[in-house]
Amino acid sequence: MPKPSKRISGIIPSGKDGWEVHFAAMTRSQAGEDIVMLSVGDHDFDTPTETVEACVTALRAGHHHYTQLAGLPALREAMARISTLCTGVPTRPDEVIATPGGQSALYAAVQGVIDSGDHAIVVAPYYATYPGTFRAAEAGFTVVEARPEDGFQPDAAAIEKAVQPNTRAILLNTPNNPTGAVYTRQSLEGIADVCRRHDLWLLSDEVYWTLGGGEHVSPRSLPGMAERTLVINSMSKSHGMTGWRLGWLTGPAEFIALLVSLNLVNTYGLNDFISRAAIEALNGDFGVKEIAGLYAARRAVFLDAVRGMNDVTVRGSDGGMYVMLDISAVEPDDEKFAWAFLDTEKVAVMPGSSFGEAAAGHIRISLCQPEDVLREAANRLRRFASTYRSKAA
């Protein structure tokens, strides 16, 4: 065949990464092996019934046609209401564009602020798609690691050192995937100061904002930041709708208007019947409190179960759907640890280094399992760590 473009060939470089542990575990599970899957952030429960029924009703009512490129007006109104709650900044519908999932919102944000050859800064640990999204824009980027000993709070001074003449944006995620860290107001104020002084965009991924363990602070709410902050949001986690692919981007109205052209050549709008179900889910807050309470309870159960475990330290883990454990005192190579844990105890976890060097020596635990399963996984981890140490001695 003719040669493909460098643009798509370079999005995901070849080579190993810790996702191989998850894929191997999934293959073994599908083959019938009893594997405890704690490696992926997909709910173990279905979308709330009210949302499903709203979708069925819209489908049967004939809502099968094209929608406005920026999203149905009622959908943008509902998303603007949630953005007001999320960011603490009054938000109008024309400051919101609907996208097929949070990843599409992130893609739109990066395409909207980065030209080929520009530079960005990514705060790590980071969600796995961040580097590839910048590569898709033919941009360079520098990863600035938040330190485990600081609870994975970002360091504004370290971020500023990474600023280059062609830097256009900083990307961060709070509550954080994979660490569960909830960035403090002080941390975000430092980063906002860097953005204002260097005239940078701030891309703020806040898809876990309803699952925080404390105060959620959106950098959009800080002085002088509404004009330079783009907030990525999604219904996947907050409303239990991972497979529905519904997200949105919030930003200055003039910028959002430009992104309508991107939807013209990319998505050409969202599904009508799914959009109408989303309107009902957003306006009715279907499942939001229940899902938040569920993950708060699961986090407490798992953290209680690992409390006092020798040579295993909890880092971050204040919010979101994950717990991050420092296992470097047991085995510095987190990927080696994850493979051995899978083979010995039939538990699948993600090696921390899959999300950046800052998380090396850690494992990420997904809380997308019932409490009894999480307790059992913690017991297996305790046994495995003890046995591993005695074998290594």
Side-chain angles (χ1 to χ4, degrees):
M1 68 177 186
K3 186 177 179 180
S5 72
K6 293 180 181 178
R7 184 179 303 107
I8 67 164
S9 301
I11 291 175
I12 305 296
S14 60
K16 288 179 57 180
D17 63 37
W19 285 92
E20 292 185 350
V21 179
H22 167 69
F23 295 138
M26 182 64 71
T27 299
R28 289 165 60 171
S29 177
Q30 291 172 346
E33 192 171 348
D34 188 11
I35 303 291
V36 178
M37 296 296 297
L38 303 182
S39 52
V40 68
D42 194 356
H43 304 300
D44 58 311
F45 49 84
D46 293 334
T47 299
T49 301
E50 300 95 327
T51 305
V52 174
E53 290 304 315
C55 185
V56 171
T57 298
L59 189 61
R60 288 176 173 162
H63 297 296
H64 317 146
H65 302 280
Y66 292 133
T67 61
Q68 291 93 329
L69 292 176
L72 291 173
L75 180 60
R76 297 177 80 188
E77 288 177 9
M79 289 174 168
R81 182 182 70 84
I82 300 300
S83 288
T84 298
L85 295 174
C86 171
T87 69
V89 178
T91 305
R92 305 189 310 269
D94 64 350
E95 295 174 309
V96 168
I97 187 167
T99 62
Q103 178 59 41
S104 288
L106 173 63
Y107 181 83
V110 170
Q111 290 290 321
V113 305
I114 295 285
D115 284 318
S116 177
D118 282 346
H119 175 262
I121 296 169
V122 178
V123 178
Y126 50 71
Y127 179 55
T129 67
Y130 289 179
T133 305
F134 282 109
R135 294 190 194 105
E138 300 181 315
F141 59 91
T142 299
V143 175
V144 177
E145 311 281 0
R147 297 180 298 181
E149 57 268 29
D150 294 334
F152 291 112
Q153 290 294 320
D155 181 352
I159 291 171
E160 184 157 31
K161 288 181 181 178
V163 174
Q164 301 177 10
N166 64 336
T167 301
R168 298 291 175 262
I170 298 171
L171 170 60
L172 55 79
N173 168 215
T174 181
N176 182 257
N177 175 12
T179 68
V182 177
Y183 293 171
T184 65
R185 182 177 297 274
Q186 182 179 3
S187 295
L188 293 171
E189 285 175 344
I191 296 171
D193 180 60
V194 174
C195 290
R196 289 189 295 263
R197 287 188 289 105
H198 293 275
D199 194 24
L200 304 178
W201 287 98
L202 182 58
L203 313 185
S204 183
D205 181 348
E206 302 179 27
V207 301
Y208 291 96
W209 77 279
T210 61
L211 304 180
E215 180 192 18
H216 173 70
V217 179
S218 172
R220 184 173 183 245
S221 67
L222 300 178
M225 291 303 294
E227 66 192 49
R228 62 178 66 255
T229 301
L230 304 177
V231 178
I232 296 102
N233 228 314
S234 167
M235 300 184 71
S236 291
K237 314 303 183 184
S238 58
H239 291 74
M241 298 173 67
T242 53
W244 295 66
R245 312 315 304 132
L246 275 163
W248 69 96
L249 188 70
T250 302
E254 299 84 353
F255 180 87
I256 294 299
L258 292 173
L259 287 184
V260 175
S261 299
L262 184 63
N263 274 5
L264 173 67
V265 299
N266 184 16
T267 66
Y268 208 78
L270 300 180
N271 295 323
D272 193 357
F273 52 92
I274 290 180
S275 295
R276 292 173 189 272
I279 293 166
E280 297 294 325
L282 289 166
N283 288 336
D285 293 326
F286 295 157
V288 175
K289 289 183 179 179
E290 294 82 359
I291 291 170
L294 181 71
Y295 281 109
R298 289 179 175 184
R299 187 181 310 111
V301 162
F302 187 81
L303 291 178
D304 183 65
V306 299
R307 185 172 291 113
M309 193 177 296
N310 292 336
D311 296 331
V312 175
T313 303
V314 177
R315 306 286 191 188
S317 305
D318 297 317
M321 296 163 56
Y322 311 102
V323 166
M324 185 66 91
L325 300 178
D326 184 342
I327 48 82
S328 60
V330 179
E331 169 57 68
D333 186 333
D334 54 88
E335 189 170 352
K336 181 179 178 181
F337 183 99
W339 278 117
F341 191 31
L342 174 62
D343 292 336
T344 304
E345 295 287 352
K346 313 302 182 188
V347 178
V349 299
M350 284 298 295
S353 55
S354 303
F355 306 97
E357 286 303 313
H362 293 71
I363 56 172
R364 188 193 75 170
I365 306 291
S366 168
L367 299 175
C368 297
Q369 291 288 350
E371 291 181 12
D372 59 335
V373 175
L374 293 172
R375 288 192 189 95
E376 174 60 22
N379 290 336
R380 295 188 194 186
L381 177 61
R382 187 182 299 273
R383 180 173 62 209
F384 175 75
S386 176
T387 303
Y388 196 102
R389 286 196 306 274
S390 63
K391 285 182 178 180

